[in-house]
Amino acid sequence: MIAATLSSSPSSSSSPLFRSLHRRFASSLSSGTRVFRSPALPTRVYAVSTGSIRSVRFSSCVGSKGIGIGIRASRWRSPVCFRSSTQIGTESGPLIEQFQRRIATMASEHPFKGIFTSLPKPGGGEFGKFYSLPALNDPRIDKLPYSIRILLESAIRNCDGFQVKKEDVEKIIDWVNSSPKQVEIPFKPARVLLQDFTGVPVVVDLAAMRDAMNKLGNDPNKINPLVPVDLVIDHSVQVDVARSENAVQSNMELEFQRNKERFGFLKWGSTAFRNMLVVPPGSGIVHQVNLEYLGRVVFNTDGIMYPDSVVGTDSHTTMIDGLGVAGWGVGGIEAEAAMLGQPMSMVLPGVVGFKLDGKLRDGVTATDLVLTVTQILRKHGVVGKFVEFYGDGMAQLSLADRATIANMSPEYGATMGFFPVDHVTLDYLKLTGRSDETVSMVEAYLRANKMFVDYSEPLQEKVYSSYLELNLGDVVPSLSGPKRPHDRVSLKDMKADWHSCLDSKVGFKGFAVPKEAQGKVAKFSFHGQPAELKHGSVVIAAITSCTNTSNPSVMLGAALVAKKATELGLEVKPWVKTSLAPGSGVVTKYLLQSGLQKYLNQQGFNIVGYGCTTCIGNSGDLDESVSAAISENDIVAAAVLSGNRNFEGRVHPLTRANYLASPPLVVAYALAGTVDIDFEKEPIGTGKDGKSVYFRDIWPSNAEVAQAVQSNVLPDMFKRTYEAITKGNSMWNTLEVPTGTLYQWDPKSTYIHDPPYFKNMSLDPPGPHGVKDAYCLLNFGDSITTDHISPAGSIHKDSIAAKYLLERGVDRKGFNSYGSRRGNDEVMARGTFANIRLVNKFLNGEVGPKTIHIPSGEKLYVFDAAMKYKEDGQDTIVLAGAEYGSGSSRDWAAKGPMLQGVKAVIAKSFERIHRSNLVGMGIIPLCFKAGEDADSLGLTGYERFTIDLPSSISEIRPGQDITVTTDSGKSFTCTLRFDTEVELAYFDHGGILPYVIRNLMKN
């Protein structure tokens, strides 16, 4: 084994660039050629052939006196730092010297080398080096919002003249003037966050890329994430068992039965890929784990310091914004690109400044605040923008309160709800077990780079795109519903609002229940006990979701409500399905420490699992007697949950009214058994002494809650929880999976399938492709969303995907959802354009997932028509109107059409992320000229379309005009929507993933 010690000295070898070299060189010590990159340099890929050396794992932890590079046979476990006693040997000296010279040359070429400076430690030595924004001496930077400064630092650090240009840096510095122009910039996040539903197809793609690399005669080990990737398995647990001491174990057993294939695949990925941490099932919710453990705030990678930033394949990745880490949700293709070192293209956003003043009144929770903020921001309009919070009121909000507000950014429509780092952030880092040295480093770096807010010092006013203000004292106890997160209702108005909803016509605030039917009572027997339901009866009460379970104040507040109610003799009716699903094991520890968990148990709020559960619709079945009473009597039943989304049909098919509320209110409504109650005037129930018990009798004061938090939420709880985070549980640990670099695909699996993206891939890029005599597969109007394009939800029994599963021995009960089968391209391709609400002009008003196969005139399912075209060797295109691909960012909205053979989409306009995803999959996006569309040009869709492109990529320019000709004699000009040189490079290679493969092979 190679062994030696590399320590810093006054020589050039002590520079952060050279230290970075050591780490990248260490990462290259395996058989064949290994790839490394320096985060201090422009993002380029280097390689060295080291001969036949055993594949090992490395980690480094930079201190002020030197660097140790250790060999680890185990997988990456800590998001922060590793130590190892084994060292690298001196035999590598000549190679190190060679690469030292190369890196020194690269450093001298960096456009911003002049601001690369050292950050000294107070007691001597240095924390590391960083790109200093103040050193630019540009007064415009002082007025930039803190969130924009993070984008600026990333652009400076990654500036290479190709992926990130100096012009991009200037756009960000000149944000005040450039943002209103909707300019695009590249952004390279520091890391990527995945959950299991969206993470499976990402790992499938990585496994397929390794196969491609192997078939082309290269080293498959080169396919590894180039930035840290954290995947938390949290979306699969359901509340099958509730109100039971063994609910956690029972639900986990069922979770493993349903998801054994998926979990086995992810467990293989956790050992096969470097730089990837997989957190096993039963550990917590991805965003709470991110907040309490994974979030770095500041990276110090081999002595190079930079702000933490993250993109995740879940929309509520924004929760980390409460910690001062810039993060938001993206689609799978973007996430894969980011983890493989590619920049994301994004519009430089406007920033709404949201000033907070005052303090919350007694009895008002963070949940009440976030529902109020959501309503305000939805009304203001913040889609595609950052929201940045500031003001004197910030000091009154705990970090958990801030995270609650940041979490619901998707509900108020913003890309981010950002809270800059201040002393509250530092205190939270200490509380959650981050070391004093780490916290000191975070504070020193952010202060030095003007990214820290110190409210004890005079603050220079920032410039924002628009301004809002809220006095925290104006916030009142609230819920949101019955069908949308931003339809806030104050607690005192709930009864009146409920009756208004019963009266109003069917809509977001209406159920159209006739007056004479509003008093209906459905009597039934619940396990031999007489029971009854009315309109508004609560049948699900769930303390769920990272939005609230990350906040000790509301969790302990809920437990205090349960304690007071129990002591007074109140009890939740047994037919109410109650559940408690914490977002991390820390919650269980402080609830047990406080002695309050037993009161939650007595009210039926036993812990059911550690995952998203009811918040994403994994609420499990209601008791058959309850379901029958609702269905047979057409009862508008209610669910009350501490989640972040309450769209009709999401929580449970039988709960038409769904209200978001704080955990204490969830307990209160469970006790009341109905949302049809005025808590100020009507009693919740009758106590053991025969007297009426009111809401005020069970509601804790802010002082009581604060005392419970201070006494019971301790740093050691976080340390103990996360020291064991990757140890898993017996079911995970005994799960047998294949080993090795390459995945052994099971041809019989209907969950995990080897995708065909790279089957015929060549060593050389195929070059640009035009479209010759293509048929129109689908002819759309405006506002076709990713919901129309991409498979989502349940698999309809009569669908093409259902037929595929039935043919492979899967019965209807085993269909599961499209979400759970995202790792199988055969299922997903069949689900593409399979939405039953699809409006296709070819069908003359008929709605559904069919189209006309033009050569034969047959009306076929879209997938069947697409396969017929492919079998005949015929290209296809899609015609569309405005805003094509709007809605949630879904990678399958681009992957599916590509697998169906679509070569181009011609639309009036595209949603930004979807256009980028089409490019990533090698599909040509074209825009009609302003004022034109298919109708104005007289196109019927029955024409055959030819799109001529130059055969050399060097002859194509971003945004150039392209002529489209048809066999009817009509021709028209479109704008080619490859918007950057990088996107043209992707197209030249047939997509972003082939581009990455060939670049890794070439280097």
Side-chain angles (χ1 to χ4, degrees):
M1 179 177 289
I2 299 172
T5 298
L6 302 173
S7 61
S8 63
S9 68
S11 71
S12 63
S13 66
S14 66
S15 73
L17 294 179
F18 189 55
R19 282 183 251 167
S20 181
L21 162 68
H22 287 325
R23 177 166 168 79
R24 302 308 161 191
F25 176 76
S27 296
S28 71
L29 290 182
S30 67
S31 58
T33 302
R34 301 307 297 268
V35 178
F36 67 96
R37 59 197 278 272
S38 169
L41 296 175
T43 306
R44 302 183 185 179
V45 182
Y46 309 94
V48 54
S49 179
T50 58
S52 180
I53 302 177
R54 182 175 66 88
S55 177
V56 292
R57 297 297 309 279
F58 294 85
S59 59
S60 68
C61 185
V62 179
S64 60
K65 295 183 180 180
I67 177 170
I69 301 180
I71 301 176
R72 295 184 64 87
S74 60
R75 60 182 298 282
W76 187 82
R77 285 190 230 169
S78 166
V80 182
C81 186
F82 292 99
R83 304 187 188 278
S84 177
S85 58
T86 314
Q87 307 295 328
I88 287 194
T90 54
E91 293 93 327
S92 54
L95 283 171
I96 290 178
E97 292 173 8
Q98 173 187 346
F99 281 94
Q100 180 186 4
R101 290 193 297 271
R102 179 67 184 273
I103 286 182
T105 302
M106 292 303 305
S108 67
E109 295 173 2
H110 197 288
F112 293 94
K113 63 182 179 180
I115 63 169
F116 189 61
T117 187
S118 175
L119 181 64
K121 281 187 174 181
E126 67 173 32
F127 285 110
K129 285 188 165 56
F130 70 105
Y131 288 92
S132 170
L133 302 187
L136 287 170
N137 292 317
D138 193 319
R140 294 175 295 177
I141 296 175
D142 293 334
K143 293 190 175 183
L144 288 179
Y146 290 97
S147 49
I148 298 300
R149 297 181 193 193
I150 293 174
L151 302 183
L152 175 60
E153 189 282 338
S154 174
I156 289 172
R157 177 166 37 89
N158 291 295
C159 187
D160 63 355
F162 177 60
Q163 291 184 334
V164 184
K165 300 180 179 180
K166 288 187 73 173
E167 296 81 33
D168 298 315
V169 173
E170 172 58 26
K171 288 176 187 175
I172 302 172
I173 293 175
D174 197 36
W175 170 83
V176 170
N177 297 310
S178 56
S179 173
K181 299 175 185 176
Q182 295 284 290
V183 299
E184 292 212 6
I185 60 164
F187 175 61
K188 303 188 81 169
R191 59 190 175 96
V192 174
L193 186 70
L194 309 171
Q195 39 94 332
D196 53 305
F197 262 24
T198 53
V200 166
V202 170
V203 180
V204 165
D205 287 353
L206 292 176
M209 291 174 73
R210 280 194 170 176
D211 286 346
M213 188 74 85
N214 186 55
K215 289 173 183 175
L216 291 170
N218 215 283
D219 181 9
N221 282 299
K222 289 181 180 180
I223 301 297
N224 276 296
L226 298 178
V227 300
V229 176
D230 305 308
L231 191 157
V232 181
I233 302 175
D234 68 348
H235 268 54
S236 300
V237 62
Q238 296 186 27
V239 188
D240 294 293
V241 178
R243 286 177 166 260
S244 167
E245 292 291 343
N246 69 341
V248 172
Q249 182 68 18
S250 299
N251 289 326
M252 186 173 290
E253 288 173 358
L254 289 167
E255 179 185 9
F256 270 79
Q257 288 174 23
R258 294 186 182 109
N259 297 281
K260 185 177 180 181
E261 277 189 65
R262 296 171 61 246
F263 289 175
F265 177 67
L266 291 175
K267 188 175 181 182
W268 168 81
S270 72
T271 58
F273 293 102
R274 291 192 307 276
N275 229 10
M276 179 181 288
L277 171 70
V278 174
V279 178
S283 303
I285 303 175
V286 58
H287 307 305
Q288 188 162 341
V289 174
N290 193 24
L291 188 74
E292 295 175 351
Y293 176 63
L294 299 173
R296 280 74 153 177
V297 185
V298 171
F299 270 85
N300 191 338
T301 305
D302 306 331
I304 312 301
M305 305 174 70
Y306 50 98
D308 188 5
S309 58
V310 59
V311 293
T313 55
D314 188 281
S315 57
H316 293 99
T317 301
T318 53
M319 188 170 191
I320 200 66
D321 301 339
L323 194 66
V325 174
W328 58 87
V330 297
I333 294 172
E334 291 175 292
E336 290 175 42
M339 69 174 65
L340 293 169
Q342 301 305 302
M344 291 169 40
S345 180
M346 62 181 290
V347 172
L348 185 61
V351 183
V352 177
F354 200 131
K355 186 177 182 181
L356 300 174
D357 296 311
K359 62 182 293 186
L360 294 174
R361 291 188 286 178
D362 199 46
V364 175
T365 68
T367 314
D368 304 321
L369 173 57
V370 72
L371 297 180
T372 303
V373 167
T374 297
Q375 184 182 44
I376 292 170
L377 288 171
R378 287 286 297 202
K379 184 177 180 181
H380 184 72
V382 293
V383 174
K385 298 176 183 177
F386 291 174
V387 176
E388 187 166 295
F389 294 90
Y390 69 103
D392 296 337
M394 294 281 281
Q396 305 299 321
L397 296 180
S398 70
L399 196 290
D401 292 345
R402 299 174 182 190
T404 298
I405 296 170
N407 177 282
M408 287 190 69
S409 292
E411 281 65 53
Y412 47 80
T415 302
M416 281 206 303
F418 188 74
F419 290 82
V421 175
D422 60 11
H423 286 293
V424 173
T425 319
L426 301 180
D427 290 343
Y428 183 81
L429 292 176
K430 294 175 183 176
L431 170 68
T432 50
R434 275 81 163 194
S435 70
D436 290 341
E437 183 179 0
T438 296
V439 177
S440 297
M441 181 268 293
V442 167
E443 180 177 7
Y445 169 78
L446 294 175
R447 283 185 180 276
N449 227 5
K450 297 293 181 70
M451 294 179 177
F452 185 86
V453 182
D454 190 334
Y455 289 101
S456 67
E457 300 175 354
L459 299 175
Q460 180 165 353
E461 191 165 337
K462 304 294 178 291
V463 175
Y464 294 109
S465 307
S466 59
Y467 297 79
L468 291 169
E469 185 169 357
L470 173 66
N471 188 315
L472 298 178
D474 294 336
V475 178
V476 298
S478 304
L479 299 87
S480 278
K483 302 181 184 183
R484 295 189 300 187
H486 55 280
D487 289 333
R488 186 185 65 84
V489 187
S490 64
L491 185 63
K492 65 182 179 62
D493 295 330
M494 260 296 289
K495 185 179 180 75
D497 190 81
W498 172 250
H499 283 275
S500 173
C501 288
L502 290 178
D503 290 336
S504 299
K505 66 180 182 179
V506 174
F508 294 121
K509 294 287 289 185
F511 297 104
V513 177
K515 283 283 188 186
E516 63 273 14
Q518 290 182 13
K520 178 189 289 187
V521 179
K523 295 184 181 293
F524 64 103
S525 175
F526 181 81
H527 298 276
Q529 179 179 348
E532 64 178 39
L533 294 178
K534 302 176 182 178
H535 294 301
S537 288
V538 174
V539 295
I540 292 176
I543 300 175
T544 178
S545 172
C546 52
T547 307
N548 285 290
T549 67
S550 61
N551 194 326
S553 294
V554 293
M555 296 301 287
L556 286 164
L560 287 168
V561 170
K563 177 178 185 291
K564 290 172 180 283
T566 302
E567 291 173 343
L568 289 169
L570 297 184
E571 189 175 347
V572 176
K573 296 291 190 294
W575 54 84
V576 179
K577 187 167 186 178
T578 45
S579 62
L580 166 59
S584 84
V586 175
V587 179
T588 302
K589 288 181 172 63
Y590 65 66
L591 286 174
L592 291 173
Q593 164 87 14
S594 67
L596 295 173
Q597 180 65 54
K598 64 181 180 182
Y599 298 107
L600 286 166
N601 291 349
Q602 288 178 50
Q603 297 298 343
F605 287 94
N606 301 82
I607 295 175
V608 296
Y610 297 87
C612 299
T613 64
T614 307
C615 185
I616 60 167
N618 288 356
S619 47
D621 292 333
L622 294 175
D623 187 87
E624 288 184 5
S625 64
V626 176
S627 297
I630 295 171
S631 301
E632 292 169 8
N633 295 278
D634 199 23
I635 294 293
V636 183
V640 183
L641 66 151
S642 61
N644 47 48
R645 285 182 178 168
N646 56 337
F647 306 120
E648 188 170 7
R650 177 184 175 93
V651 174
H652 192 282
L654 294 177
T655 57
R656 281 191 272 167
N658 302 280
Y659 285 94
L660 305 182
S662 67
L665 275 179
V666 170
V667 178
Y669 273 103
L671 289 160
T674 181
V675 296
D676 186 7
I677 184 173
D678 184 338
F679 276 146
E680 289 190 1
K681 300 175 182 177
E682 299 177 61
I684 288 177
T686 303
K688 57 188 176 184
D689 59 1
K691 294 181 180 179
S692 294
V693 177
Y694 288 85
F695 179 80
R696 56 183 174 271
D697 299 325
I698 63 171
W699 198 256
S701 67
N702 286 7
E704 288 178 274
V705 173
Q707 176 60 39
V709 172
Q710 186 175 358
S711 303
N712 299 295
V713 184
L714 307 173
D716 182 61
M717 295 175 177
F718 292 89
K719 290 180 181 177
R720 284 188 287 123
T721 297
Y722 289 110
E723 280 174 354
I725 192 69
T726 60
K727 292 181 180 178
N729 50 67
S730 59
M731 282 178 274
W732 175 263
N733 294 337
T734 57
L735 191 63
E736 294 186 5
V737 298
T739 58
T741 299
L742 302 177
Y743 185 69
Q744 302 302 310
W745 305 96
D746 179 1
K748 296 179 181 178
S749 174
T750 56
Y751 280 96
I752 307 297
H753 186 261
D754 184 10
Y757 310 137
F758 315 111
K759 295 301 183 189
N760 299 311
M761 185 174 167
S762 59
L763 286 169
D764 297 317
H769 67 80
V771 177
K772 179 70 171 176
D773 291 331
Y775 286 101
C776 179
L777 178 65
L778 291 152
N779 187 1
F780 292 133
D782 295 341
S783 301
I784 293 296
T785 71
T786 51
D787 283 337
H788 293 114
I789 307 167
S790 170
S794 60
I795 298 173
H796 193 273
K797 62 182 178 64
D798 297 323
S799 66
I800 297 294
K803 180 182 177 184
Y804 171 85
L805 292 172
L806 288 169
E807 289 171 349
R808 280 150 187 81
V810 180
D811 61 27
R812 281 183 57 186
K813 288 185 178 179
F815 281 0
N816 215 324
S817 65
Y818 280 114
S820 68
R821 296 188 181 273
R822 287 178 181 174
N824 189 309
D825 60 280
E826 296 279 7
V827 174
M828 300 302 281
R830 285 163 172 78
T832 300
F833 297 120
N835 190 300
I836 60 173
R837 303 297 176 197
L838 197 68
V839 178
N840 175 11
K841 292 180 183 178
F842 283 148
L843 300 185
N844 299 316
E846 180 184 340
V847 175
K850 294 190 176 182
T851 193
I852 301 298
H853 177 252
I854 294 172
S856 67
E858 292 179 87
K859 183 167 68 174
L860 302 172
Y861 282 104
V862 175
F863 177 81
D864 288 340
M867 293 304 100
K868 205 170 178 65
Y869 284 125
K870 286 187 75 171
E871 289 166 8
D872 294 338
Q874 294 161 336
D875 290 346
T876 56
I877 65 156
V878 170
L879 291 176
E883 300 175 352
Y884 182 76
S886 57
S888 300
S889 174
R890 293 205 181 120
D891 53 340
W892 276 106
K895 287 179 176 177
M898 186 277 283
L899 291 176
Q900 289 188 357
V902 173
K903 302 298 183 186
V905 178
I906 308 175
K908 286 179 69 174
S909 62
F910 291 93
E911 191 277 335
R912 178 182 59 84
I913 294 175
H914 182 63
R915 183 204 62 80
S916 176
N917 285 345
L918 290 175
V919 172
M921 294 310 298
I923 295 175
I924 304 169
L926 294 168
C927 274
F928 292 109
K929 287 296 182 179
E932 295 182 348
D933 59 17
D935 291 339
S936 70
L937 292 168
L939 300 174
T940 65
Y942 285 87
E943 301 86 356
R944 299 188 72 173
F945 297 82
T946 295
I947 304 167
D948 281 325
L949 292 179
S951 58
S952 171
I953 201 69
S954 62
E955 298 175 28
I956 305 177
R957 303 183 314 279
Q960 78 177 57
D961 286 347
I962 295 292
T963 299
V964 181
T965 59
T966 70
D967 62 342
S968 67
K970 292 178 181 176
S971 64
F972 53 97
T973 302
C974 288
T975 301
L976 181 65
R977 287 300 311 276
F978 295 129
D979 292 351
T980 65
E981 297 287 346
V982 175
E983 289 188 344
L984 283 175
Y986 295 161
F987 182 59
D988 188 42
H989 284 260
I992 189 170
L993 301 183
Y995 169 85
V996 171
I997 290 173
R998 291 192 183 95
N999 271 276
L1000 291 175
M1001 290 175 61
K1002 182 173 62 177
N1003 290 293

